[in-house]
């Protein structure tokens, strides 16, 4: 034997913190009990039970993606694997691809397209701004792409591309397919695959859906699926070949052994979304994120992105002068057991508002941890004012909701 038996390995119980950290960063996010229970189960990856699970996942996904006709599949892998699956199945070598780049993750779509040997044009959007229709139109006319990639929410710098529907319409006027990365946004805000005519949407498990990381979903439009079926070349990717994956997701047969537990977990995550209903879930996220933002500003901090370009799913906060972001995160984690995220560039810290994060009790704890940590690092924060702004915004939403309901005829 060349490799010796390892020494010093301890059971996870010895390493994991006693009190779980409250995961308020940019993902993974806390998961509800039914999701973690499902994740503890292994069943046969083929057969009657699995068929029923898969059928339900597809039916629930049709609702969550808002498309009756989308070809829905799960992917064993991170959100990035689903991104790669969209790209390698829709892009042939030499194809012109336009990548709308707002930040780190939208650039990843460009990188993936590059590696798929596409002819890539990156449309670099000014930092902190959403893509403008004019800029996208000019780039489409110049580059004549077969495919456009865009993120709905750019998690890295908290920018929100709020004109997706119009961008999609514009792209289709030029016979261009549209791929949307909705890893952090799906089920947290409106995204209508059919109505907005989007050709592929990808999402991960660990963000908006509040499932586990490592099992993702992808949905192809009929147009995109026809395009995939019409390809005669053999893909270089075997695991990510959508035609092969389709054998499992629509043909009850073997492609690779599905990550059974993760598939069961995402089933439960989707079931909880359906049970809550999309309108109620969108409202919960809007209320929670708006209140969080009010709380942050209320205690004296400023937000990174201007309101009209700002994402609600992940909130970016400017780090006050003379504060080291790493030290701030460390203090919040060690002293208050709340984790938030640092950044991939700008001097910001980020708080997630995805799935289970968007609950009032988590907001109070997070605002307190942030304010108290800054106070202990010598920056004076008005934590009571932050709490007050948080609470009054939550109440405002409840009152306006009651008003809305009383105005709506039964
Ligand atoms: C997190 C994220 C990804 C990548 O997901 P992984 O599971 O880390 O691969 C891609 N796009 C967006 C918008 C994300 O937020």
């Amino acid at each position: 034997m060349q490799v010796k038996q390892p020494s010093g390995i301890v059971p996870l119980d010895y390493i994991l913190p006693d009190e779980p950290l409250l995961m308020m960063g940019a993902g993974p996010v806390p998961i509800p009990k039914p999701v973690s229970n499902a994740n503890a189960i292994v069943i046969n990856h083929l057969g009657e039970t699995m068929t029923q699970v898969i059928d339900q996942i597809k039916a629930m996904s049709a609702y969550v993606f808002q498309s009756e006709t989308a070809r829905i599949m799960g992917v064993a892998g991170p959100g990035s694997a689903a991104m790669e699956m969209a790209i390698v199945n829709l892009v042939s070598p030499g194809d012109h691809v336009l990548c709308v780049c707002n930040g780190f993750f939208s650039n990843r779509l460009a990188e993936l397209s590059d590696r798929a040997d596409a002819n890539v044009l990156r449309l670099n959007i000014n930092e902190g701004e959403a893509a403008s229709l004019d800029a996208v139109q000019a780039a489409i006319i110049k580059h004549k792409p077969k495919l456009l990639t865009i993120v709905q929410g750019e998690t890295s710098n908290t920018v929100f591309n709020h004109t997706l529907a119009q961008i999609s319409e514009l792209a289709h006027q030029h016979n261009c397919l549209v791929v949307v990365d909705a890893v952090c946004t799906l089920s947290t805000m409106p995204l209508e695959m059919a109505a907005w005519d989007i050709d592929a949407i990808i999402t991960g498990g660990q963000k908006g859906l509040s499932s586990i990381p490592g099992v993702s979903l992808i949905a192809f439009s009929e147009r995109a699926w026809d395009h995939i079926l019409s390809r005669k070349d053999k893909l270089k990717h075997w695991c990510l070949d959508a035609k092969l994956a389709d054998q499992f997701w629509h043909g009850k047969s073997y492609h690779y052994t599905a990550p059974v537990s993760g598939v069961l977990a995402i089933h439960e995550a989707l079931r909880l979304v359906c049970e809550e209903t999309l309108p109620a879930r969108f409202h919960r996220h809007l209320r929670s994120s708006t209140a969080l933002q009010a709380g942050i500003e209320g205690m004296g901090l400023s937000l990174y992105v201007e309101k009209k370009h700002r994402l609600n799913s992940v909130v970016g906060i400017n780090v006050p002068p003379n504060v080291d972001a790493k030290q701030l995160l460390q203090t919040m984690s060690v002293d208050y057991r709340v984790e938030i995220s640092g950044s991939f560039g700008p001097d910001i810290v980020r708080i997630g508002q995805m799935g289970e994060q968007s609950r009032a009790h988590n907001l109070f704890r997070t605002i307190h941890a942030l304010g108290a940590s800054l106070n202990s690092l010598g920056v004076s924060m008005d934590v009571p004012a932050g709490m007050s702004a948080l609470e009054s915004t939550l109440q405002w939403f409840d009152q306006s909701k009651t008003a809305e309901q009383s105005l709506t005829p039964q």
Side-chain angles (χ1 to χ4, degrees):
M1 277 191 277
Q2 297 204 321
V3 180
K4 283 195 301 190
Q5 188 183 8
S7 60
I9 304 291
V10 298
L12 273 182
D13 280 355
Y14 296 163
I15 317 177
L16 297 177
D18 289 342
E19 189 192 334
L21 295 168
L22 178 59
M23 304 283 284
M24 294 298 285
V29 309
I31 56 175
K33 240 325 172 266
V35 173
S36 64
N37 289 345
N39 190 44
I41 300 168
V42 172
I43 61 168
N44 194 341
H45 65 115
L46 296 170
E48 273 307 302
T49 310
M50 195 44 139
T51 299
Q52 216 178 334
V53 170
I54 295 302
D55 284 347
Q56 298 206 58
I57 288 181
K58 288 186 292 189
M60 294 187 291
S61 298
Y63 173 67
V64 175
F65 286 97
Q66 286 291 291
S67 168
E68 298 276 8
T69 53
R71 199 97 188 162
I72 292 175
M73 288 173 217
V75 187
S80 302
M83 293 160 90
E84 190 152 32
M85 189 161 171
I87 300 298
V88 300
N89 283 279
L90 292 173
V91 173
S92 303
D95 281 356
H96 283 214
V97 174
L98 174 63
C99 299
V100 179
C101 292
N102 297 90
F104 187 80
F105 289 111
S106 32
N107 268 293
R108 182 171 293 174
L109 284 161
E111 163 76 17
L112 292 167
S113 305
D114 254 340
R115 290 179 181 221
D117 294 325
N119 179 333
V120 178
L121 180 68
R122 286 171 169 80
L123 174 61
N124 291 312
I125 308 297
N126 290 341
E127 176 68 14
E129 287 179 18
S132 81
L133 274 178
D134 287 348
V136 172
Q137 180 164 37
I140 289 177
I141 288 166
K142 176 174 162 206
H143 194 55
K144 302 186 176 53
K146 278 195 177 164
L147 184 95
L148 176 149
T149 68
I150 188 164
V151 291
Q152 184 175 32
E154 177 53 78
T155 318
S156 65
N157 59 8
T158 70
V159 164
F160 172 35
N161 281 320
H162 48 82
T163 56
L164 270 190
Q166 293 92 316
I167 288 177
S168 178
E169 188 182 357
L170 191 64
H172 287 110
Q173 285 166 3
H174 295 84
N175 291 319
C176 172
L177 298 176
V178 175
V179 172
V180 172
D181 173 343
V183 176
C184 74
T185 50
L186 191 77
S187 89
T188 75
M189 61 171 67
L191 175 55
E192 310 227 349
M193 184 167 184
W196 300 358
D197 203 11
I198 293 167
D199 294 294
I201 298 184
I202 55 204
T203 197
Q206 77 276 24
K207 297 191 188 170
L209 290 178
S210 263
S211 185
I212 58 158
V215 177
S216 305
L217 293 172
I218 185 163
F220 292 109
S221 69
E222 283 180 294
R223 191 197 286 115
W225 189 245
D226 287 345
H227 175 75
I228 290 170
L229 291 181
S230 73
R231 276 183 77 166
K232 299 284 177 270
D233 55 328
K234 196 186 262 183
L235 286 202
K236 297 230 161 48
H237 293 257
W238 186 88
C239 285
L240 297 179
D241 186 326
K243 283 190 241 179
L244 297 181
D246 197 57
Q247 295 173 1
F248 177 76
W249 286 90
H250 296 89
K252 301 183 193 181
S253 69
Y254 177 64
H255 173 209
Y256 51 72
T257 305
V260 178
S261 317
V263 170
L264 296 174
I266 220 162
H267 177 285
E268 286 304 279
L270 289 166
R271 188 179 61 76
L272 293 171
V273 176
C274 294
E275 199 175 270
E276 183 174 12
T277 77
L278 288 175
R281 197 173 170 91
F282 297 157
H283 184 268
R284 171 163 66 85
H285 281 85
L286 181 65
R287 170 179 182 261
S288 180
S289 184
T290 308
L292 175 72
Q293 293 169 40
I296 291 164
E297 292 185 314
M299 71 178 163
L301 292 168
S302 64
L303 299 172
Y304 182 60
V305 172
E306 219 187 304
K307 180 94 187 152
K308 68 174 173 179
H309 303 296
R310 190 184 302 156
L311 183 62
N312 282 330
S313 319
V314 184
V315 177
I317 305 155
N318 292 314
V319 176
N322 306 319
V323 171
D324 173 29
K326 280 216 176 75
Q327 211 182 353
L328 172 59
L329 301 187
Q330 177 80 0
T331 308
M332 287 181 71
S333 172
V334 173
D335 294 353
Y336 299 96
R337 326 267 336 130
V338 176
E339 296 240 315
I340 66 168
S341 298
S343 145
F344 293 104
D347 194 18
I348 58 174
V349 291
R350 295 172 300 150
I351 299 179
Q353 279 301 285
M354 298 174 281
E356 289 308 300
Q357 294 175 321
S358 293
R359 304 275 180 205
H361 54 274
N362 292 334
L363 305 181
F364 285 97
R365 195 168 148 195
T366 305
I367 288 278
H368 174 261
L370 177 62
S373 299
L374 283 166
N375 277 335
S376 77
L377 293 173
V379 187
S380 176
M381 285 291 123
D382 192 345
V383 182
M387 291 291 180
S388 168
L390 171 56
E391 176 60 20
S392 42
T393 309
L394 290 171
Q395 285 185 15
W396 181 86
F397 269 88
D398 294 343
Q399 281 150 13
S400 49
K401 195 177 181 198
T402 320
E404 232 170 73
Q405 279 164 351
S406 64
L407 289 173
T408 313
Q410 297 302 309

